[in-house]
Every structure is written in C-alpha cells, then in structure tokens.
Amino acid sequence: MLVEESITVGVHLRGVLRRDRPGGFVHTVGGGLGWGIGAAVGHRLGAPERPVVAVLGDGCAMFGLRGLWSAAHHRVPVLFVVMANGEYRTLKDTLGARGGGPDVPRPGLDLGELDWRLAARFFGIPAVRADGTEELARTVAAVRGLDGPLLVEVPLRGHS
C-alpha cells in the first residue's frame, strides 16, 4: 500500500503508479497537511499483512511529525519516505503562477535544511538517506522485510 502526502512530488508519482489494486493507494484532496504519517501507521495496524510505504513531502511531514512516536512506540513496520526540498514548494509554485516573481517575498515558506534522520532517531526510528534512485529503489523493495518503522530521507532541489 502507498500512502501519498507529497503534494509536489505526488503529481509526478501518481503518473507512474499502478492503481489497480483496491486499497493500494491512499491520497487526499483538500488542503489539510499532516495526515500522511498517521494514515500510514493506521493502515498498517488495520491490515498488518500489507506492507505500507508513505511518501511524504517534508512540509507535510512537519505537520504530522508526532505520528512517528506512535510508529516507534508500537513498532509499526512502515517505510516513511520524506522528500526533502526544504520548503513548501507547492505554495511557491502557486505564487509564481499568479505573478509572484523571484523578488516577491515568501515569508514562512522555507523550512531550511532539516535533518529528517535526526528527527526519526529522536523518536527511536532508524533512518537512512537515499542519495540516488538505485539506493531508494532497493530500500523500497525491501519494505516487506521491515520489523519496525524506517525513515528514508530523499534530498531534492528546492524552488528555483
């Protein structure tokens, strides 16, 4: 199962996913941020036989960070993939599309360089960084073998 709360990356991800398995893809529409971590934990607890991968934007993950405590506390084997561009990218893209050039102030939209591995370890969750697609593919392919949560930080370029 894939839980997707990665607004900018999700647009591209949905274009390459198989979505022919009932209940195999969870995504929301509507603007609420922070539900992805909890949804992934809940889906895995509700169907423990189904591996769960949560693809999360770092902005979205910031709103649901406390869900990592539940994943760690209950040893829920979910793979959390945090797409880390250090910003609320979709909001910057929206401002740009509405005429906000590079000189227009964007207060509050930069997260900076957050260390998601450190955040995961704070809750007792092992974490790695995937610096390439091959490394990420190997990590996702091993999701069935998880015996507890794992967080993967995927660094991305920020808004240009």
Side-chain angles (χ1 to χ4, degrees):
M1 156 169 278
L2 178 72
V3 173
E4 184 262 303
E5 188 189 17
S6 179
I7 297 170
T8 307
V9 171
V11 171
H12 303 289
L13 183 59
R14 289 187 296 276
V16 298
L17 280 178
R18 281 185 54 196
R19 290 183 276 172
D20 58 350
R21 296 184 69 191
F25 177 69
V26 176
H27 169 75
T28 189
V29 178
L33 299 179
W35 61 271
I37 294 173
V41 170
H43 277 282
R44 184 62 193 240
L45 288 172
E49 72 285 355
R50 293 186 78 179
V52 175
V53 176
V55 177
L56 310 159
D58 53 357
C60 295
M62 286 290 289
F63 280 86
L65 191 61
R66 65 201 172 278
L68 293 179
W69 178 89
S70 296
H73 182 75
H74 297 290
R75 302 254 340 122
V76 183
V78 171
L79 178 62
F80 299 101
V81 180
V82 178
M83 311 305 284
N85 61 12
E87 63 191 359
Y88 290 104
R89 173 72 182 256
T90 193
L91 296 176
K92 287 183 175 184
D93 289 347
T94 300
L95 284 173
R98 295 187 177 184
D103 297 331
V104 173
R106 294 178 171 97
L109 300 185
D110 289 310
L111 297 171
E113 291 187 37
L114 302 173
D115 187 337
W116 287 96
R117 294 165 294 171
L118 183 61
R121 290 182 190 124
F122 173 79
F123 292 106
I125 294 175
V128 297
R129 181 179 171 137
D131 286 314
T133 55
E134 290 178 14
E135 187 177 0
L136 179 59
R138 278 193 305 275
T139 304
V140 172
V143 69
R144 289 188 184 279
L146 290 179
D147 62 356
L150 174 66
L151 185 138
V152 180
E153 179 184 65
V154 179
L156 301 175
R157 262 193 331 265
H159 192 271
S160 49

